Amino acid sequence: MIKSMTGYGKANLTKKSKEYQVEIKSVNHRYLDLSVKMPKVLSYLEEEVKKEIATQVKRGKIDVFITFQNDSTEGKEIKINTELAKIYIDELKKLAEQEKILANIEVTEISKFPDVLSIQNKQEDETIKKELLETVALATEKLVQMRGVEGNKIAEDLLGRIKAIQNKVKEISSQSTGLIEEYVVKLEGRIKEILKNQELDEARLNQEVVIYADKCSIEEEVTRLNSHISQFEGLLNSEEAVGKKLDFIIQEMNRETNTIGSKANKLEITNGVIEIKTELENIREQIQNVE
């Protein structure tokens, strides 16, 4: 069934003193717009995260929040800023000479100075990448499940509305039957009243009837509307992202309905057109939330 673009998914994973948490929120958007907020130490994996989510989500404004706690020594390395350490040592020696104090510089003391030692995660650590993407996949799966539940509710509503439109189209089609015959009777009466005792020109009358029939016939519009309705119902059962297709079909249905309205020469048909357009507008608003 169709999926909503609104949803939420969260997943946690703990592996060997490493903790991952991924939260994903999604709302309506015309295209797929992914935004990822994650620790700087994992920033090199941002594109991988986006690719993973994009395998399951095709449309929507997606916000991803990732937290990472690594208490493991796996994938870590100690970096020594040798140049900075030398500067500290040189400055300490100068200070000792100026103040005439003993320069007893210990390596362990230098290592405590800011930015001399740092612990970094190896960017090439495939274990962290694998575990993070596993967590992202779990969170995305939960997001998709929620979007699916919401999508089912939307589909039920849309199906009910499209059925109502289908019934109204049948009514309009039925009401259009006999319009030409009614027109002929009225036209003959009008002409006879105008001509009074003069002879009626049957050829001219038939010509007027043909012109009127061409102008007021809604058979083609009804046929196309029924075709669009059938397509719409089929897409509601699709596993693909069909929001844009549904929107296009609604536009086409609205166009055909407008044409019927312009041809209507009967109050009941005009009222039916208004009801159809009202339902089409309700459907259009609903499908703005369909992936």
Side-chain angles (χ1 to χ4, degrees), residues 11-21 69 131 135:
N12 294 282
L13 183 68
T14 301
K15 290 284 185 72
K16 296 181 179 179
S17 300
K18 297 190 295 295
E19 295 182 5
Y20 305 83
Q21 179 175 284
Q69 179 67 39
E131 292 171 352
T135 315

Side-chain angles (χ1 to χ4, degrees), residues 92-291:
L92 289 173
K93 285 182 177 179
K94 289 179 184 179
L95 178 63
E97 289 175 3
Q98 291 172 3
E99 301 298 329
K100 297 180 180 180
I101 59 176
L102 182 64
N104 186 19
I105 303 172
E106 298 287 342
V107 173
T108 53
E109 293 300 318
I110 297 297
S111 69
K112 296 176 184 179
F113 290 152
D115 301 323
V116 173
L117 288 182
S118 63
I119 300 175
Q120 299 180 358
N121 288 294
K122 295 179 182 178
Q123 290 194 357
E124 64 273 13
D125 185 10
E126 287 298 316
T127 301
I128 290 178
K129 174 183 175 180
K130 179 182 177 182
E131 292 171 352
L132 175 61
L133 294 183
E134 180 183 345
T135 315
V136 170
L138 290 171
T140 307
E141 185 178 343
K142 291 180 180 179
L143 171 74
V144 171
Q145 288 175 353
M146 180 176 285
R147 283 161 61 115
V149 170
E150 183 65 23
N152 285 337
K153 294 178 182 177
I154 294 174
E156 289 176 7
D157 180 75
L158 292 178
L159 188 59
R161 294 184 185 279
I162 206 71
K163 287 294 184 185
I165 290 175
Q166 188 175 41
N167 292 334
K168 190 56 62 176
V169 170
K170 288 179 181 178
E171 287 181 21
I172 288 176
S173 180
S174 176
Q175 288 162 353
S176 69
T177 304
L179 279 180
I180 298 175
E181 289 77 7
E182 292 177 13
Y183 176 73
V184 171
V185 173
K186 291 179 181 178
L187 187 59
E188 282 183 342
R190 181 79 181 275
I191 293 175
K192 286 178 180 179
E193 183 181 344
I194 295 173
L195 296 177
K196 296 191 182 299
N197 296 325
Q198 297 180 41
E199 186 177 347
L200 179 64
D201 187 344
E202 293 290 343
R204 182 61 186 276
L205 177 63
N206 291 335
Q207 185 181 4
E208 290 295 329
V209 170
V210 170
I211 294 172
Y212 174 79
D214 184 59
K215 286 183 177 179
C216 74
S217 174
I218 60 172
E219 185 177 342
E220 290 184 11
E221 287 77 15
V222 168
T223 299
R224 284 193 287 266
L225 270 175
N226 284 325
S227 175
H228 293 325
I229 289 170
S230 179
Q231 287 180 292
F232 192 95
E233 290 176 333
L235 288 173
L236 290 180
N237 294 314
S238 175
E239 293 296 327
E240 300 176 0
V242 295
K244 291 182 180 179
K245 292 182 180 178
L246 292 174
D247 190 49
F248 175 76
I249 290 175
I250 290 303
Q251 291 179 41
E252 290 299 299
M253 290 180 69
N254 197 58
R255 187 170 66 85
E256 300 296 344
T257 304
N258 284 335
T259 303
I260 292 175
S262 67
K263 290 183 175 183
N265 284 304
K266 194 173 184 180
L267 180 60
E268 289 80 3
I269 293 178
T270 301
N271 290 337
V273 165
I274 293 172
E275 291 182 37
I276 290 176
K277 286 178 67 66
T278 299
E279 285 293 1
L280 286 174
E281 181 59 26
N282 290 332
I283 290 174
R284 192 193 68 80
E285 290 179 2
Q286 278 280 46
I287 61 178
Q288 299 312 306
N289 192 38
V290 174
E291 182 182 38

Side-chain angles (χ1 to χ4, degrees), residues 84-93 110 113-116:
L84 182 60
K86 288 180 179 178
I87 293 173
Y88 278 128
I89 293 171
D90 289 341
E91 292 300 320
L92 289 173
K93 285 182 177 179
I110 297 297
F113 290 152
D115 301 323
V116 173

